[in-house]
Amino acid sequence: MSKKVLVVGGVAGGATTVARLRRLDENLEIILFERGEYISFANCGLPYYIGGTIEERDALLVQTPESMEKRFNIDVRIKNEVIKILKDEKKIEVKDLSTGKIYEESYDYLVLSPGSTPLRPPIPGIDSPNIFSLWNIPDTDAIYGFIKENCPKKAVVVGGGFIGLEMAENLHELGIEVSIVEMLNQVMAPLDFEMAEIIHEHIKSKGGNLYLGDGVQTFDYKDGKTTITLQSGKTIETDLVILSIGIRPNGELAKDAGLEVNQRGGIVVDKNLRTSDKNIFAIGDAIEVIDFVNKTKTMVPLAGPANKQGRIVANNIVGRKEEYKGTQGTSVAKVFDMTVASTGNNEKTLNKLGKEYGKDYLISFIHAKSHAGYYPEALPITIKLIFDLEGKILGAQSVGYDGVDKRIDVIATAIRFGGTIYDLKELELAYAPPYSSAKDPVNMAGYVAENILNKDVDTIFWNELDDLDRENSIILDVTDPEEREMGYVEGSINIPLNDLRDRLDELDKDKLIVPYCGIGIRGYIASRILVQNGFKAKNFAGGFMTYGNLFCKDENDCGGRIQSENIEYTDHGEIKVIGNEDDSRKTLKINISELTCPTPSKEINETIEKIDDGDILEILSSDPNFSERMKTWCSNTRNTFVKGERVDKGFLVTVKKGLNK
């Protein structure tokens, strides 16, 4: 007699389970229950349909109930909600939501894939008609319809996670002014703060408003608009609100049946994804998993693991024993023009585990380019690598414009196979100038980590600067003077790297020397020179690029000396020149995107000398922080910053020689 398998939940893991079961056993009786109207839809694509990137709604429907039934010979029952599990009788109770009828169905095996539900806390006014969550197709239709009918000018996204930022980007694409409210001090929780800060600055550069470290106190709806009062007392008026606060696992069905659940309501399973009942399996957002890196119990709601779990459960049901070995949390997201990705553990996780985890860790930072710098359109990519004292990789994060996903995928693969930083430096990765460099950023991350682990260089990080004893230390800027005009660490002294050997007598061997440069490479070389000449030295990790992201917010920070009265700042950070415009002025264009430091700074200085007061200089760079650095440069050289913008081939800054009269 054929066995009967019931699967609860028809998205991601549930759909994968039934398809795999049928491929393995043509004789199984399989019934799929879904309380909604849709199965196997592309929930990760929902924001992009709202924003218009995905033009056809039907493209979101990977499988329909009809196509699933026809192809796999499965009984698919949509609008049928499983309301009770009678595990002792190996039966379930189901409610047909169309008719209200309640009926029973027996099983040999039951698979729970109930997913999760967006959090909707009891905030006053949260049920206002212009407040939405995005989780499924009906949610999508509601938001899409609201935007089409009401043409909102302003929107607020509450929550800075994956869905929140993707919605912010897509609303921005529709021409809507977007504000993001996040209770934490950063967006994108999988990132550590200094990596998230790169995203913060990018969001601001796109005109987005960020309210970090602040939560919603009340919503007040009136005449089609909602006034949001934050816990800080600030208020925001908006036409549309998208809630993306977080999710909770749908574990109530399992709990009511007497199955073991954790404190968060997540269903507890073993290595084979069995629940506390041998005939019931569970997968997806609703289950507790093992963190692949630190081996603690956690919950990670991602589509990739859910699909893998569905396949494993199907294998176990038909007798092909297989274990789920844990989730390492590899993820990627598009945030406006940037890509952000991570895998494994971040510092916050490791610090939270502390002594319980029993491992110290080290960190390496690199700022590299997505492909060979001499090939056009090479864009910056930042990689943070975390590893233990034996070199085993614990996690990685990356932010950039191109090639971020493939670098994190390589490191994620290394983690999965127990790889070390030595493996990263030895990897032979595909190279051609349009795609990478002969020393790929992944290799570079390995090289830098090896230098740290072998004590070839000691490092100091951004969050350690405040604790630095300034009386007994020297912060040494080894950039060229032209670069220093673009900003520097307050209190630093300047000795260009090429002059350092001849000027060592200017430094005190009794003090700690902290050298830094643009991205860290020249700082490392300086550290090697210093240490081998009897100095104590710690290279500043990530160089001024990391420092600038965190501490340089306008042209008066980090070395700016004057504030030009002829520049006006709008609410969204856009800049416009005030004063007389001369149509006869000349415009000169230079491209420094393929040059390496310090050459770009020299090129700018040499070019500005060749043009007349009032002439315009347009500079194309591959540095996303170039606009901020050029504001400081203009402040220090008495020139006028006109505007900075993202263009197809990089970042374009327009400067007017001299100050407006």
Side-chain angles (χ1 to χ4, degrees):
M1 178 182 285
S2 64
K3 292 188 179 295
K4 185 176 180 181
V5 182
L6 308 183
V7 178
V8 181
V11 184
T16 295
T17 302
V18 296
R20 176 67 174 169
L21 281 170
R22 179 56 75 222
R23 289 195 296 270
L24 294 177
D25 191 337
E26 188 66 20
N27 297 313
L28 282 176
E29 181 182 356
I30 305 170
I31 306 175
L32 177 64
F33 298 91
E34 170 55 51
R35 65 181 174 184
E37 189 177 349
Y38 303 91
I39 64 166
S40 193
F41 59 87
N43 29 6
C44 296
L46 301 181
Y48 300 100
Y49 170 67
I50 292 171
T53 300
I54 298 172
E55 296 181 358
E56 298 297 329
R57 180 179 180 277
D58 287 349
L60 300 171
L61 305 177
V62 181
Q63 286 274 8
T64 65
E66 296 76 20
S67 64
M68 177 74 81
E69 287 181 341
K70 187 171 184 180
R71 174 162 296 182
F72 294 104
N73 188 28
I74 290 165
D75 184 355
V76 179
R77 303 182 188 177
I78 61 172
K79 296 184 180 179
N80 275 246
E81 181 179 7
V82 177
I83 57 176
K84 193 172 185 179
I85 299 171
L86 307 169
K87 60 185 178 63
D88 294 336
E89 303 172 40
K90 295 176 69 175
K91 291 181 180 179
I92 60 171
E93 284 187 4
V94 186
K95 183 176 183 179
D96 185 329
L97 300 179
S98 297
T99 65
K101 177 184 175 183
I102 296 176
Y103 63 95
E104 291 184 349
E105 200 72 60
S106 64
Y107 62 84
D108 292 295
Y109 294 105
L110 176 64
V111 181
L112 302 178
S113 182
S116 52
T117 301
L119 292 175
R120 202 172 176 90
I123 299 172
I126 198 169
D127 294 323
S128 301
N130 62 347
I131 299 180
F132 302 88
S133 295
L134 178 64
W135 201 244
N136 53 33
I137 296 290
D139 293 339
T140 306
D141 292 339
I143 296 169
Y144 186 91
F146 180 90
I147 293 172
K148 190 172 182 179
E149 182 177 345
N150 295 278
C151 300
K153 298 292 189 296
K154 295 182 178 182
V156 171
V157 176
V158 183
F162 287 92
I163 294 176
L165 293 190
E166 287 167 352
M167 275 304 304
E169 175 193 344
N170 281 279
L171 292 170
H172 175 269
E173 286 295 309
L174 294 173
I176 301 171
E177 180 188 325
V178 179
S179 298
I180 299 168
V181 175
E182 170 55 58
M183 187 173 291
L184 300 176
N185 68 341
Q186 66 167 84
V187 300
M188 297 300 287
L191 297 182
D192 289 317
F193 179 78
E194 71 275 16
M195 299 294 284
E197 187 73 350
I198 302 173
I199 299 297
H200 297 162
E201 293 306 306
H202 181 60
I203 292 171
K204 293 174 188 175
S205 76
K206 303 299 287 188
N209 305 303
L210 278 176
Y211 297 84
L212 300 175
D214 213 347
V216 175
Q217 184 169 305
T218 61
F219 297 104
D220 183 18
Y221 177 79
K222 185 177 181 181
D223 298 329
K225 295 185 181 296
T226 289
T227 299
I228 302 174
T229 301
L230 303 181
Q231 292 172 359
S232 64
K234 295 177 182 177
T235 59
I236 314 168
E237 186 176 84
T238 185
D239 307 306
L240 169 65
V241 179
I242 304 293
L243 299 177
S244 185
I245 300 171
I247 60 173
R248 62 171 179 81
N250 292 331
E252 297 88 349
L253 187 65
K255 181 180 179 181
D256 292 344
L259 300 177
E260 185 181 356
V261 297
N262 64 16
Q263 289 184 339
R264 294 175 57 187
I267 305 170
V268 176
V269 295
D270 64 13
K271 291 181 179 180
N272 300 109
L273 300 173
R274 269 191 172 89
T275 68
S276 52
D277 185 297
K278 66 178 182 179
N279 298 306
I280 303 176
F281 295 82
I283 59 176
D285 290 4
I287 70 167
E288 180 182 83
V289 296
I290 297 298
D291 184 306
F292 183 82
V293 173
N294 61 52
K295 307 307 177 187
T296 63
K297 295 177 181 180
T298 186
M299 298 188 71
V300 185
L302 290 171
N307 280 282
K308 293 176 182 66
Q309 292 159 10
R311 182 182 175 92
I312 290 171
V313 161
N315 289 347
N316 284 321
I317 286 174
V318 300
R320 299 186 179 188
K321 291 187 177 180
E322 185 175 354
E323 293 183 355
Y324 183 67
K325 297 178 181 178
T327 301
Q328 66 190 68
T330 305
S331 60
V332 64
K334 181 177 179 294
V335 183
F336 294 89
D337 298 330
M338 297 195 85
T339 301
V340 52
S342 65
T343 187
N345 288 175
N346 57 25
E347 277 198 86
K348 290 177 291 187
T349 298
L350 294 172
N351 291 338
K352 185 177 180 180
L353 292 170
K355 293 181 180 179
E356 179 184 349
Y357 181 44
K359 281 194 178 182
D360 292 324
Y361 63 88
L362 298 169
I363 301 164
S364 73
F365 269 109
I366 68 159
H367 297 294
K369 289 194 173 182
S370 55
H371 58 249
Y374 57 80
Y375 188 87
E377 300 181 37
L379 293 171
I381 179 171
T382 299
I383 298 177
K384 177 179 182 178
L385 189 68
I386 305 174
F387 49 98
D388 69 15
L389 303 187
E390 285 75 48
K392 186 176 181 181
I393 307 165
L394 304 177
Q397 302 157 44
S398 184
V399 177
Y401 291 84
D402 188 27
V404 169
D405 53 339
K406 75 174 182 177
R407 271 65 188 223
I408 284 295
D409 281 344
V410 168
I411 298 173
T413 303
I415 291 175
R416 181 58 59 163
F417 291 108
T420 67
I421 56 106
Y422 305 108
D423 295 315
L424 296 188
K425 74 187 188 74
E426 292 170 3
L427 285 174
E428 185 177 334
L429 302 172
Y431 161 61
Y435 303 104
S436 184
S437 300
K439 292 186 284 189
D440 188 87
V442 170
N443 299 134
M444 290 301 300
Y447 293 146
V448 173
E450 180 187 41
N451 289 339
I452 293 170
L453 203 56
N454 290 347
K455 301 188 183 304
D456 291 331
V457 64
D458 200 355
T459 54
I460 188 169
F461 295 93
W462 66 273
N463 54 351
E464 297 174 310
L465 286 180
D466 284 345
D467 297 328
L468 193 64
D469 181 357
R470 292 297 181 105
E471 290 188 5
N472 294 297
S473 60
I474 298 171
I475 300 179
L476 177 63
D477 179 352
V478 297
T479 68
D480 282 8
E482 296 91 344
E483 288 178 89
R484 189 168 170 84
E485 288 179 339
M486 291 188 173
Y488 54 83
V489 177
E490 294 291 344
S492 63
I493 66 170
N494 181 219
I495 302 178
L497 177 63
N498 291 345
D499 300 338
L500 181 59
R501 290 183 179 87
D502 297 328
R503 296 175 60 181
L504 290 174
D505 58 351
E506 298 177 27
L507 300 174
D508 187 345
K509 284 190 175 181
D510 292 329
K511 293 186 176 183
L512 172 68
I513 314 297
V514 180
Y516 76 89
C517 63
I519 60 175
I521 296 174
R522 286 172 291 165
Y524 163 61
I525 296 170
S527 294
R528 295 297 300 155
I529 293 170
L530 291 164
V531 168
Q532 292 178 83
N533 280 277
F535 290 86
K536 297 174 291 182
K538 288 187 176 185
N539 185 29
F540 180 67
F544 189 76
M545 181 175 285
T546 295
Y547 184 88
N549 283 336
L550 292 158
F551 302 113
C552 303
K553 302 304 181 183
D554 62 50
E555 74 274 18
N556 292 315
D557 292 335
C558 304
R561 288 192 291 270
I562 62 170
Q563 183 169 6
S564 302
E565 294 179 356
N566 59 309
I567 298 178
E568 177 181 297
Y569 293 82
T570 69
D571 289 341
H572 308 302
E574 299 165 348
I575 296 137
K576 63 182 182 181
V577 178
I578 303 170
N580 296 326
E581 297 293 338
D582 182 359
D583 292 336
S584 66
R585 64 191 179 188
K586 299 189 296 292
T587 298
L588 185 63
K589 301 180 180 182
I590 60 172
N591 183 350
I592 63 168
S593 59
E594 296 166 24
L595 303 179
T596 57
C597 51
T599 310
S601 303
K602 290 183 176 180
E603 181 87 1
I604 295 167
N605 280 274
E606 290 172 0
T607 305
I608 203 79
E609 289 297 323
K610 297 176 183 177
I611 63 177
D612 298 325
D613 280 2
D615 287 347
I616 295 296
L617 179 60
E618 292 184 354
I619 313 160
L620 182 66
S621 171
S622 61
D623 180 1
N625 301 309
F626 188 56
S627 289
E628 293 303 318
R629 298 182 68 188
M630 283 303 294
K631 291 177 192 175
T632 300
W633 181 87
C634 285
S635 171
N636 288 332
T637 59
R638 300 186 67 81
N639 291 294
T640 300
F641 183 96
V642 179
K643 66 177 178 177
E645 57 189 320
R646 173 79 164 96
V647 294
D648 288 343
K649 298 181 184 298
F651 306 89
L652 185 67
V653 165
T654 303
V655 170
K656 179 181 177 182
K657 183 171 180 178
L659 297 175
N660 285 333
K661 306 298 183 182

